[in-house]
Amino acid sequence: MAVVYFDIVDYDSVIARAKEFRLNFSDVLQGKLMAYDTDGDGDFDVEDAKVLLGSTEKLKEKGKNMFRPSFIQIIKIFKLCSCHFCHFLLLFILAKKKKPKLFNKFDKTIKAEIDAAEKLRKKGKVDEALRAFESLVQQYPQSPRARYGKAQAEDDVAEKLRSNDMLQRAINTYREAAELPDATSDLLMAALKRRAERQQFLGRMRGSLVTLERLVQIFPEDISLKNDLGVAHLLLGDNKGAKKVYEQVLAAAPNNGFAKVHYGFILKSENKIAESIPYLKEGLESGEPGTDDGRFYFHLGDALQRVGDNSAYHWYELGHQRGHFASVWQRSLYNVEGLKAQPWWTPKETGYTDLVKMLERNWKTIRDEALAVMDRNTGQFIPEEENLREKGEWGQYTLWQQGKKVGNSCQGVPKTCSLLEKHPEATGCKRGQIKFSVMHPGTHVWPHTGPTNCRLRMHLGLVIPKQGCRIRCTTETRQWEEGKVLIFDDSFEHEVWQDADSYRLIFIVDVWHPELTAYQRQTLSPI
């Protein structure tokens, strides 16, 4: 008896090899394959091949989906065509990603009309496509595929016209397509997923959450949908809801990297520093789609630094290599490329010498107004809320935030505000702040970076103890002086110690990076 052995076929490698051929197949070969269009959708695809070959045994090996064709199945492949390339072609077809089944039984009877409208859409004739699909929906209101095509065409027209009203029409039509009876599960999935994406694009976060909740209800075994639902909770600022979702995901799929990085991110936001580290680390190491994000490298490194683990800089370096950080030291995430980058600046380098001279000339006036506010009501100095302190007390009294005055804060320090209003590079800096900062003895501020490279930060010393107060930016440590301005780029790592025996008071003034154009200063989003 002859024994025939067939190796397991890794179809990922088959696809990779097939992409190298770049061949046009002959009409004869196409005709041979069309003869096996078993599902009547007009082409030969993986579903047809499955019918042709009979049942296939699906295996799990090294995380990949693989098939072991039986001897009889191989013989059937050989019968299609005697040439080796036909055999290879069929393996390639089997390996192709399953094409979504968008046509129900009725839709197949009008497939030619739907295909004609879809052809217009794919050719970029979006207005004609929309009219064609509108006509189809009017003629066949019970057709889920026609209505889904109408939604896609509206979506395309919205992109072309940059029209939120048209996009809202598309969002509504996606819902209508999904609600029609006899919509295929693939169409239902595609319509609702796109609806959720476009709702998020319009800022309809709550609506997107509802759509994703419905998807998870319909497809409870789909882990990727639950991951998307977790992100929707995060976009709403609902960390508690997101945490619950990711706990469910990790209970069902303990090695899911996407869920791990997001769950670690949430734990970090809850100040569960040590607990967050393995989730962030293992999630990043998984390399799964959606994990290669600068925020996760940022927070893993920060968590490691806070537990005294110097491997933080290994992850910062990886983040830099992946293009998320400008360098190991400069780790801001909201940046404009090409700006001059250095940790410490001189007044002359900034071009803001007039502002620096004004601050240093009037430092006693600024100091006296700050002290008066402190004496009257220390409650106006709000404790730092960004979880940057390891220990101690650190209060801030903000005058400008994101280029706008904060409430009536200037009423307490009118002379200071009057002086600053002559300097729009500071008061108009939408990515910065102007504030007083008081730090009490025994305070340590963790190494951290600011959010953007679009600003520089000035520190004017007002009340500085003789010893014990210092600031490090990258590898250089400096001390404040009363009446003098220090300038640094806070997108670089910096750290502060207050080991004196009395409080330290400074005035912080953020200014636009001097290389930003007037147009950029006007159009950059606030931070």
Side-chain angles (χ1 to χ4, degrees):
M1 182 179 79
V3 178
V4 181
Y5 175 80
F6 293 95
D7 287 333
I8 293 176
V9 179
D10 180 349
Y11 287 94
D12 288 341
S13 64
V14 173
I15 290 174
R17 288 174 58 200
K19 288 179 180 177
E20 299 173 1
F21 278 82
R22 309 292 186 193
L23 294 177
N24 294 318
F25 304 120
S26 69
D27 292 337
V28 174
L29 181 55
Q30 293 286 1
K32 284 186 178 183
L33 297 177
M34 285 292 292
Y36 294 92
D37 176 21
T38 59
D39 60 4
D41 65 355
D43 61 4
F44 183 93
D45 57 19
V46 66
E47 294 304 310
D48 302 311
K50 283 182 180 178
V51 174
L52 171 70
L53 299 176
S55 62
T56 55
E57 182 188 357
K58 206 170 188 179
L59 301 175
K60 281 281 185 180
E61 179 172 313
K62 296 181 181 178
K64 296 182 179 179
N65 289 331
M66 299 180 179
F67 294 92
R68 187 191 302 275
S70 70
F71 179 74
I72 299 299
Q73 291 165 345
I74 295 294
I75 294 300
K76 287 184 178 181
I77 294 175
F78 274 51
K79 285 181 178 179
L80 270 177
C81 180
S82 60
C83 74
H84 293 298
F85 190 73
C86 288
H87 306 161
F88 179 82
L89 172 65
L90 285 178
L91 294 180
F92 173 66
I93 291 168
L94 280 171
K96 284 175 65 177
K97 184 179 179 182
K98 180 182 176 183
K99 190 171 69 175
K101 295 296 180 182
L102 304 179
F103 290 79
N104 66 12
K105 196 170 183 179
F106 172 77
D107 286 331
K108 288 180 181 180
T109 67
I110 59 169
K111 186 175 186 302
E113 296 170 77
I114 292 174
D115 285 349
E118 183 65 12
K119 189 174 181 180
L120 290 170
R121 193 179 75 83
K122 288 185 175 178
K123 285 187 173 181
K125 299 178 180 180
V126 294
D127 297 300
E128 293 178 52
L130 179 54
R131 287 193 292 271
F133 276 115
E134 285 175 337
S135 177
L136 285 171
V137 167
Q138 189 172 10
Q139 193 174 354
Y140 308 110
Q142 76 275 34
S143 166
R145 179 63 184 87
R147 201 168 296 260
Y148 176 65
K150 177 174 177 278
Q152 289 181 301
E154 288 169 339
D155 204 336
D156 292 339
V157 172
E159 286 284 332
K160 176 184 174 182
L161 301 178
R162 297 174 181 256
S163 168
N164 288 347
D165 290 338
M166 180 59 75
L167 185 53
Q168 186 59 54
R169 276 179 56 183
I171 289 169
N172 294 338
T173 308
Y174 283 125
R175 183 197 68 232
E176 293 169 5
E179 289 177 348
L180 283 173
D182 300 324
T184 68
S185 61
D186 284 351
L187 186 141
L188 188 63
M189 171 82 79
L192 290 180
K193 282 189 76 171
R194 184 61 176 173
R195 172 178 163 82
E197 290 170 4
R198 303 313 270 160
Q199 286 174 309
Q200 286 185 5
F201 180 82
L202 275 185
R204 313 276 199 268
M205 301 304 177
R206 184 69 61 183
S208 176
L209 180 71
V210 171
T211 301
L212 286 165
E213 285 176 334
R214 185 182 172 200
L215 268 169
V216 168
Q217 188 176 22
I218 298 168
F219 303 100
E221 302 304 316
D222 193 315
I223 294 296
S224 68
L225 291 177
K226 290 181 180 178
N227 279 334
D228 290 344
L229 179 61
V231 171
H233 279 286
L234 288 173
L235 290 172
L236 278 168
D238 179 17
N239 285 19
K240 185 177 179 181
K243 185 177 183 182
K244 183 178 179 181
V245 170
Y246 289 123
E247 285 174 342
Q248 293 172 354
V249 171
L250 291 171
N255 295 320
N256 187 276
F258 187 95
K260 280 189 172 183
V261 288
H262 286 83
Y263 190 64
F265 175 83
I266 293 166
L267 291 174
K268 172 78 161 36
S269 71
E270 295 175 343
N271 209 29
K272 296 176 180 177
I273 304 300
E275 194 177 341
S276 73
I277 290 172
Y279 289 99
L280 288 165
K281 184 178 179 182
E282 292 168 17
L284 283 171
E285 288 174 340
S286 75
E288 291 181 18
T291 61
D292 186 22
D293 187 305
R295 290 169 295 183
F296 302 134
Y297 288 95
F298 183 97
H299 285 288
L300 173 56
D302 184 64
L304 288 167
Q305 282 184 299
R306 295 191 184 199
V307 298
D309 188 336
N310 285 333
S311 69
Y313 291 98
H314 163 73
W315 290 98
Y316 290 147
E317 176 61 31
L318 285 179
H320 168 54
Q321 292 174 5
R322 300 292 294 179
H324 302 304
F325 307 140
S327 72
V328 171
W329 292 113
Q330 191 180 24
R331 303 190 297 271
S332 52
L333 296 174
Y334 303 93
N335 301 320
V336 170
E337 290 186 9
L339 298 180
K340 182 178 180 179
Q342 62 186 46
W344 294 99
W345 290 64
T346 66
K348 185 177 180 180
E349 287 174 324
T350 69
Y352 299 134
T353 53
D354 288 346
L355 173 58
V356 173
K357 288 177 181 177
M358 181 276 290
L359 292 170
E360 292 184 344
R361 187 167 54 244
N362 294 279
W363 78 273
K364 289 184 179 179
T365 299
I366 297 169
R367 178 201 61 189
D368 291 346
E369 284 196 327
L371 291 174
V373 170
M374 288 177 64
D375 287 342
R376 286 197 305 271
N377 185 0
T378 55
Q380 293 193 50
F381 280 78
I382 299 170
E384 176 270 325
E385 299 173 335
E386 297 178 60
N387 191 28
L388 298 176
R389 283 170 294 160
E390 177 190 10
K391 58 182 180 179
E393 296 180 51
W394 179 17
Q396 303 180 72
Y397 177 34
T398 304
L399 306 180
W400 271 269
Q401 176 93 19
Q402 297 182 341
K404 296 180 180 179
K405 282 185 179 179
V406 176
N408 59 1
S409 58
C410 276
Q411 291 181 8
V413 288
K415 294 178 182 177
T416 299
C417 287
S418 178
L419 290 166
L420 283 163
E421 282 170 347
K422 300 170 187 176
H423 295 275
E425 67 271 23
T427 59
C429 182
K430 293 186 294 182
R431 294 195 162 189
Q433 303 167 312
I434 300 175
K435 59 189 178 183
F436 294 100
S437 170
V438 62
M439 190 174 288
H440 294 278
T443 301
H444 173 233
V445 178
W446 292 111
H448 65 286
T449 60
T452 178
N453 73 339
C454 294
R455 72 188 186 202
L456 301 179
R457 176 154 284 188
M458 298 185 178
H459 280 187
L460 173 65
L462 300 178
V463 178
I464 308 298
K466 289 184 178 180
Q467 291 182 334
C469 295
R470 62 195 189 279
I471 177 171
R472 174 185 65 84
C473 189
T474 64
T475 59
E476 185 177 349
T477 301
R478 299 188 182 184
Q479 296 182 330
W480 296 272
E481 295 181 49
E482 292 183 356
K484 297 296 181 181
V485 170
L486 283 178
I487 308 172
F488 67 102
D489 183 338
D490 78 325
S491 65
F492 287 85
E493 180 180 293
H494 53 288
E495 182 177 12
V496 176
W497 297 265
Q498 215 288 40
D499 297 324
D501 54 8
S502 60
Y503 67 85
R504 180 225 67 178
L505 177 65
I506 63 172
F507 189 42
I508 298 174
V509 179
D510 290 336
V511 292
W512 284 118
H513 192 290
E515 292 183 352
L516 288 172
T517 66
Y519 178 77
Q520 288 172 318
R521 298 179 191 202
Q522 182 181 357
T523 57
L524 281 169
S525 59
I527 293 177

